[in-house]
Amino acid sequence: QVQLVESGGGLVQPGGSLKLSCTASGSLDNIYLMAWYRQAPGKQRELVASLTTGGRTRYSDSVRDRFTISSDNNKDLWFLQMNSLKPEDTAVYYCNAEAWYINDPYWGQGTQVTVSS
């Protein structure tokens, strides 16, 4: 089992920055992908960014060049640096992990990010 806990959400003005953290604990050896998703009111949950243990990153078109996913290289802590935030980035952000031999991904409980003046 893997437990994920997000932190770092909050209220920020348009154009501002926030850095989210995801702390992982439990059986981390088989994790091969760490990611961030978000869900805005009335919308489906969507992938924001992902990072493989091999260092490959992927971003949604809406956040590319503004957000950066990174990790501490030990699979127990990863981040989402969010710059130039826009009101449309307002959502609950979830960290996610996928592991070899495990069918279902792991999810955190989510952290609210609100971009508003």
Side-chain angles (χ1 to χ4, degrees):
Q1 277 292 338
V2 172
Q3 294 78 43
L4 305 178
V5 178
E6 303 95 340
S7 60
L11 173 65
V12 63
Q13 291 187 341
S17 298
L18 277 178
K19 186 173 184 177
L20 305 182
S21 300
C22 181
T23 302
S25 59
S27 301
L28 306 181
D29 288 349
N30 289 331
I31 289 177
Y32 65 88
L33 183 138
M34 299 156 281
W36 289 95
Y37 284 73
R38 68 186 181 187
Q39 187 167 19
K43 295 188 177 181
Q44 290 189 330
R45 191 173 296 189
E46 62 173 354
L47 175 68
V48 175
S50 65
L51 171 66
T52 70
T53 51
R56 184 169 297 179
T57 58
R58 176 184 174 189
Y59 295 93
S60 70
D61 290 342
S62 62
V63 307
R64 187 173 292 112
D65 299 327
R66 299 188 297 123
F67 291 10
T68 303
I69 188 171
S70 62
S71 77
D72 68 343
N73 296 321
N74 291 323
K75 307 180 186 180
D76 60 354
L77 184 61
W78 59 96
F79 309 98
L80 184 68
Q81 176 68 47
M82 305 185 292
N83 299 328
S84 302
L85 282 160
K86 304 175 181 180
E88 52 263 44
D89 295 317
T90 295
V92 178
Y93 284 70
Y94 298 89
C95 63
N96 162 284
E98 297 187 18
W100 298 111
Y101 318 120
I102 303 297
N103 290 331
D104 298 322
Y106 299 104
W107 292 96
Q109 82 288 352
T111 186
Q112 177 70 45
V113 172
T114 302
V115 185
S116 175
S117 54

